[in-house]
Amino acid sequence: MHAETMRDRLIVGLDLPTVRDAEQAVRELEGVVSFYKIGYQLAFAGGLDFARELASGGTKIFLDMKLLDIDNTVAKGVENIVKMGMTMLTIHAYPKAMRAAVEAARGSDLCLLAVSVLTSMDEQDVIDAGYEYDPHTLVLRRSEQALHAGMGGVVCSAEEAEAVRRIVGPGMAVVTPGIRPKGSDHGDQKRVVTPAQAIRNGSSHLVVGRPIVGAADRRAVAEAILDEMRSA
C-alpha cells in the first residue's frame, strides 16, 4: 500500500471538549491526517457545524452518532447527514434501523457503519445488557445482519476483524476502534490491538483517538502509527 492509501485508512478521533481544541488538533495534523471522527463529546459542543465545515473543505468525516430509533426517525436523520457531506456514519446494528438507514442513504456516497459490540464491553458486560451471546458471537451475528441490510461496513474490535472480514467479504469497510500503538495506555478499552495487528487482521480503517490527540507531539505519534500500519 502506498502512503496515500494508508493515510485514508487512519481516522483520528477528535475526542476533545471544544471546537477550538479540535481546530488546534486538525491544524497540528495537517498534511499527515485526512480523516477525522466526531462523536458525542464534540458534537454537543458545536462539533456538527465544525464537521460540516471540515467536510466542505474536502476533509473526510466519520460522524459517530450510533443512531438507533424508530425507522422514520433514523431515516430522516440519515437524510440530513447525507446533506452535511459526511463520509461515514454509525448506526447500531439492529436490522430494522439498518434497513431504514440504507434506504435513506441510497444514491449517496455516505458509508453506513453497523456498530456491533462496543470495544469497551467484555463478556460480562454483554450478559448484563441482556444478550444471550458472548461478544464474539454477537459481533458475527450482527455483521451478517449488516451485510444482508446492505450496510457499507461494520465497526468491531480488531480482535474480531479477521472473522468479520470472512463474513462480509472484501467489499465492506471493517472499522476498528480500540487501537493502541505499542507501549500506550489502554484507557477504558477492554479489547485492544496494535495498528499493525489490526491491518493484518483485515481492518480497512483504524480509529485512533486519545493516543494521538492526547500526545504532546500529535504529529509524530500519527506518523509513527502510519509507519506501523505500512509495516503490516
Side-chain angles (χ1 to χ4, degrees):
M1 288 255 168
H2 58 76
E4 272 314 296
T5 320
M6 273 306 169
R7 246 187 67 174
D8 291 337
R9 295 173 68 181
L10 173 63
I11 303 174
V12 173
L14 292 174
D15 303 321
L16 293 161
T18 69
V19 169
R20 185 173 284 179
D21 292 328
E23 284 170 342
Q24 177 65 30
V26 170
R27 267 198 304 276
E28 287 176 27
L29 293 165
E30 200 177 342
V32 179
V33 174
S34 59
F35 209 152
Y36 292 97
K37 175 180 81 83
I38 290 180
Y40 292 160
Q41 184 181 16
L42 198 59
F44 298 131
L48 296 178
D49 288 334
F50 181 56
R52 200 182 275 112
E53 196 183 302
L54 285 175
S56 69
T59 300
K60 291 182 176 176
I61 300 294
F62 164 7
L63 198 58
D64 191 15
M65 289 287 98
K66 302 184 181 72
L67 300 185
L68 177 61
D69 213 309
I70 62 170
D71 299 6
N72 186 54
T73 304
V74 167
K76 296 301 179 204
V78 170
E79 282 169 18
N80 277 339
I81 288 165
V82 165
K83 290 176 195 155
M84 288 172 70
M86 301 295 98
T87 301
M88 287 177 165
L89 168 70
T90 43
I91 309 280
H92 272 295
Y94 286 64
K96 272 170 72 72
M98 291 193 289
R99 288 194 296 269
V102 167
E103 200 45 56
R106 204 174 292 291
S108 76
D109 292 333
L110 181 63
C111 177
L112 294 170
L113 301 173
V115 177
S116 53
V117 177
L118 300 175
T119 50
S120 59
M121 292 176 83
D122 60 19
E123 188 156 4
Q124 190 55 50
D125 297 323
V126 172
I127 291 165
D128 291 346
Y131 292 103
E132 55 185 306
Y133 306 101
D134 62 278
H136 188 76
T137 308
L138 190 55
V139 168
L140 301 190
R141 181 182 164 81
R142 288 184 158 176
S143 299
E144 215 166 299
Q145 290 170 329
L147 174 67
H148 294 314
M151 294 284 282
V154 173
V155 181
C156 63
S157 154
E159 284 180 4
E160 294 131 5
E162 208 169 337
V164 168
R165 180 60 74 200
R166 280 198 294 272
I167 288 171
V168 301
M172 280 170 74
V174 175
V175 179
T176 53
I179 301 293
R180 292 292 182 264
K182 286 192 195 98
S184 69
D185 177 37
H186 284 192
D188 59 1
Q189 301 281 15
K190 289 182 180 170
R191 302 187 334 271
V192 299
V193 168
T194 66
Q197 270 175 292
I199 294 290
R200 282 195 291 267
N201 288 2
S203 300
S204 62
H205 296 79
L206 276 52
V207 181
V208 185
R210 280 165 292 189
I212 292 176
V213 297
D217 188 342
R218 292 163 168 163
R219 204 178 176 87
V221 175
E223 281 172 341
I225 288 171
L226 283 166
D227 287 343
E228 203 185 322
M229 287 165 69
R230 291 180 196 116
S231 76

